[in-house]
């Protein structure tokens, strides 16, 4: 009689013989992924055929193993933790305010009392009370300092988590010369850069993005983590490599993920660098990027006039524009957020302005990147001087080369 052996490629290591008379194959608890079921047969003489019957099988992963679910859990934990701390801090501030008001009332009573004897007695008792309340205030201040330290420590720890999630993937080795200026307004920030190396049709290309999320500080940091996971999902799982289509899918996910009453959005530029063919495809939403060409000079590329997450854009059913331009080895790509140009400072306490930022980039574009980074940083610090930094600042400069 005929015999059969089978093997599930991607799960089984060896061929498995199917018992005689059995005509079905079953597996349980397969992980999500793509598999190929291979089957071979032999005749009654025990001679096995070389032909393998193949059946592609796709197993969908359960929702609790998806990237969006992990991102939701992480955000929920952060939100609960920060809410508890903020609630306790508010309670202590209310208590302190009450005690301060009580002290003011007691002092007025003492001032209005004209009877020297009673005043002396009241002063003694009130002094004792004031000392007691002063000790209470000292205790409350110590508690507030402890809580502030706890909040600061928590945000510093959140900064470590944000860096571990967002910045563990460095700019690829194929990009030999680059600089990054990353200066968040607070300990954590809403700006981040993102990179993925793509191999398609035996050609390696690089996706690089600069992202400026709504807000800064802890809220902005939460959004950066969500956006990072969404970008990974769109590129890695859905295998979408076109910059304009990536932005459109990202926009759709943000609209679906957050309700309309929450202002969640971002300005973003994403470029795909084809190092073998020496050209770049780019799409940008409410964010400009610059390019220094040895042949064409300094160029600025405007973005589409709507942000990721903007509901009006969804209603108008628009699409993002994909730009394409050639480059030569030695040309420089600049990606950045708006924090540098929007910084107040100078003699008249005005914004640095976008036009001055582009003039500065153009004036140093032919210098080594290390020198450019130093000039950009020093110019920003000199302009800001003692002013408070108003937004996150991020600038990326990449000198393009051969593959």
């Amino acid at each position: 009689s005929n015999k059969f052996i089978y093997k599930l490629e991607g799960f089984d290591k060896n061929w498995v013989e199917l018992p005689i008379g059995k005509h079905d194959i079953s597996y349980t608890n397969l992980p999500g992924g793509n598999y190929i079921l291979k089957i071979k047969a032999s005749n009654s003489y025990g001679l096995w055929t070389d032909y393998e019957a193949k059946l592609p099988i796709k197993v969908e992963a359960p929702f609790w193993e998806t990237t969006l679910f992990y991102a939701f859990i992480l955000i929920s934990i952060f939100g609960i933790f920060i809410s508890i701390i903020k609630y306790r801090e508010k309670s202590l501030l209310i208590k302190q305010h009450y005690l301060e008001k009580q002290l003011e009332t007691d002092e007025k009573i003492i001032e209005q009392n004209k009877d020297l004897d009673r005043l002396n007695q009241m002063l003694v008792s009130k002094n004792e009370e004031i000392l007691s309340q002063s000790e209470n205030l000292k205790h409350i201040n110590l508690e507030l300092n402890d809580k502030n330290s706890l909040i600061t420590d928590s945000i510093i720890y959140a900064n470590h988590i944000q860096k571990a999630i967002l910045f563990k993937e460095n700019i690829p080795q194929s990009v030999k010369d680059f600089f990054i200026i990353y200066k968040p307004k607070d300990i954590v920030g809403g700006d981040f850069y993102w990179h993925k190396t793509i191999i398609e049709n035996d050609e390696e290309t690089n996706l690089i993005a600069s992202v400026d999320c709504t807000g800064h500080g802890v809220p902005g940091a939460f959004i950066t983590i969500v956006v990072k996971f969404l970008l990974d999902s769109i590129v890695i799982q859905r295998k979408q490599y076109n910059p304009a289509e990536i932005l459109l899918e990202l926009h759709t996910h943000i609209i679906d993920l957050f309700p309309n009453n929450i202002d969640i959005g971002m300005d973003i530029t994403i470029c795909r660098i084809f190092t073998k063919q020496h050209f770049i495809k780019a799409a940008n939403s409410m964010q400009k990027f610059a390019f220094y060409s040895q042949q064409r000079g300094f160029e600025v590329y405007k973005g589409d006039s709507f942000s990721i997450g903007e509901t009006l854009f969804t209603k108008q059913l628009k699409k993002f524009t994909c730009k394409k331009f050639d480059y030569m080895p030695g040309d420089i790509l600049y990606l950045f957020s708006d924090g540098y140009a929007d910084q107040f400072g100078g003699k008249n306490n005005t914004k640095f302005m976008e036009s001055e930022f582009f003039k500065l980039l153009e004036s140093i574009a032919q210098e080594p990147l290390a020198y450019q980074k130093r000039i950009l940083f020093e110019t920003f610090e000199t302009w800001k001087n003692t002013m408070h930094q108003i937004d996150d600042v991020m600038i990326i400069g990449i000198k393009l080369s051969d593959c």
Side-chain angles (χ1 to χ4, degrees):
S1 61
N2 295 332
K3 294 182 179 181
F4 299 90
I5 58 175
Y6 64 90
K7 178 181 180 182
L8 186 61
E9 191 173 88
F11 185 78
D12 290 328
K13 294 182 178 180
N14 302 310
W15 290 90
V16 180
E17 184 173 344
L18 186 69
I20 297 175
K22 187 175 181 181
H23 301 287
D24 61 274
I25 300 171
S26 64
Y27 288 87
T28 61
N29 298 326
L30 280 175
N34 295 314
Y35 303 89
I36 298 177
L37 179 63
K38 298 180 177 180
I39 302 175
K40 296 174 66 176
S42 73
N43 58 21
S44 58
Y45 296 103
L47 295 177
W48 293 91
T49 178
D50 292 331
Y51 172 75
E52 296 178 354
K54 298 180 180 179
L55 176 64
I57 298 173
K58 182 178 182 179
V59 178
E60 298 289 345
F63 79 95
W64 58 81
E65 293 181 0
T66 63
T67 301
L68 287 178
F69 181 78
Y70 291 143
F72 174 77
I73 293 299
L74 182 61
I75 291 173
S76 299
I77 292 172
F78 270 114
I80 292 171
F81 182 68
I82 295 299
S83 297
I84 292 173
I85 293 175
K86 289 293 184 182
Y87 175 78
R88 295 189 65 182
E89 180 186 12
K90 184 177 180 181
S91 299
L92 289 172
L93 288 172
I94 292 173
K95 185 176 180 181
Q96 181 187 18
H97 180 71
Y98 171 78
L99 290 173
E100 289 173 348
K101 288 292 184 183
Q102 186 65 40
L103 277 174
E104 293 175 3
T105 302
D106 292 340
E107 290 172 355
K108 288 180 181 179
I109 293 174
I110 293 173
E111 291 176 359
Q112 294 171 356
N113 196 333
K114 298 181 180 180
D115 190 335
L116 294 177
D117 292 336
R118 291 179 59 191
L119 179 61
N120 289 333
Q121 294 175 1
M122 289 180 65
L123 283 173
V124 172
S125 65
K126 291 302 177 183
N127 283 335
E128 292 177 353
E129 187 176 349
I130 289 171
L131 288 174
S132 175
Q133 292 177 347
S134 178
E135 290 299 320
N136 287 337
L137 282 174
K138 289 180 181 179
H139 180 70
I140 291 173
N141 285 331
L142 288 174
E143 286 191 30
L144 284 174
N145 288 334
D146 290 341
K147 296 304 177 184
N148 286 332
S149 296
L150 179 60
I151 292 171
T152 301
D153 291 343
S154 300
I155 295 176
I156 291 173
Y157 189 69
N159 173 254
H160 295 323
I161 295 174
Q162 185 188 34
K163 287 182 177 179
I165 294 175
L166 297 181
F167 304 127
K168 65 181 180 181
E169 298 170 332
N170 296 321
I171 300 296
Q173 293 182 353
S174 59
V175 179
K176 299 180 176 60
D177 195 5
F178 68 94
F179 73 81
I180 297 172
I181 295 176
Y182 180 71
K183 187 176 176 61
K185 174 183 178 293
D186 303 307
I187 298 174
V188 291
D191 290 0
F192 74 100
Y193 58 90
W194 174 89
H195 159 262
K196 279 289 177 291
T197 298
I198 305 301
I199 298 178
E200 185 181 30
N201 299 326
D202 296 327
E203 181 181 3
E204 180 180 298
T205 61
N206 289 294
L207 282 169
I208 298 177
S210 66
V211 188
D212 183 359
C213 296
T214 301
H216 36 70
V218 174
F222 283 164
I223 301 172
T224 62
I225 295 173
V226 173
V227 175
K228 190 269 182 189
F229 281 125
L230 289 175
L231 286 172
D232 286 350
S233 175
I234 293 168
V235 173
I236 297 174
Q237 297 179 11
R238 294 180 57 80
K239 299 187 183 304
Q240 179 59 261
Y241 306 142
N242 182 286
E245 294 299 323
I246 292 173
L247 294 190
L248 187 59
E249 291 198 29
L250 178 61
H251 169 77
T252 302
H253 284 307
I254 291 294
I255 293 295
D256 292 341
L257 190 59
F258 295 99
N260 293 333
N261 60 340
I262 299 180
D263 183 20
I264 300 295
M266 70 215 64
D267 303 334
I268 178 172
T269 298
I270 184 165
C271 298
R272 186 179 183 187
I273 304 174
F274 294 76
T275 52
K276 282 187 178 180
Q277 303 178 56
H278 292 175
F279 71 85
I280 295 174
K281 285 186 176 181
N284 44 333
S285 168
M286 286 296 288
Q287 189 180 87
K288 297 178 181 179
F289 69 92
F291 183 76
Y292 174 71
S293 169
Q294 298 167 88
Q295 290 184 331
R296 302 185 301 272
F298 190 81
E299 302 171 334
V300 176
Y301 291 85
K302 295 182 179 180
D304 292 312
S305 58
F306 31 80
S307 296
I308 299 294
E310 183 178 326
T311 54
L312 179 62
F313 161 65
T314 303
K315 293 177 181 179
Q316 293 175 346
L317 297 175
K318 293 183 178 179
K319 292 185 178 181
F320 293 95
T321 306
C322 188
K323 306 168 180 66
K324 180 181 177 182
F325 52 94
D326 298 326
Y327 74 86
M328 294 175 54
D331 291 351
I332 302 175
L333 176 67
Y334 296 100
L335 306 178
F336 40 83
S337 63
D338 58 4
Y340 195 108
D342 287 346
Q343 178 60 45
F344 284 90
K347 295 181 180 179
N348 299 319
N349 189 25
T350 56
K351 285 187 177 182
F352 189 86
M353 300 304 291
E354 189 177 70
S355 58
E356 292 301 316
F357 175 61
F358 291 146
K359 287 180 182 178
L360 177 59
L361 283 180
E362 184 175 8
S363 69
I364 60 175
Q366 299 183 54
E367 302 293 339
L369 290 191
Y371 175 82
Q372 293 188 37
K373 179 178 181 180
R374 180 169 63 84
I375 293 299
L376 287 167
F377 185 85
E378 291 176 354
T379 301
F380 180 82
E381 291 299 319
T382 300
W383 177 263
K384 181 173 70 71
N385 199 5
T386 58
M387 294 295 297
H388 182 68
Q389 184 174 332
I390 66 166
D391 199 0
D392 302 327
V393 173
M394 181 179 65
I395 306 173
I396 305 169
I398 300 173
K399 179 167 286 189
L400 303 165
S401 60
D402 289 313
C403 59

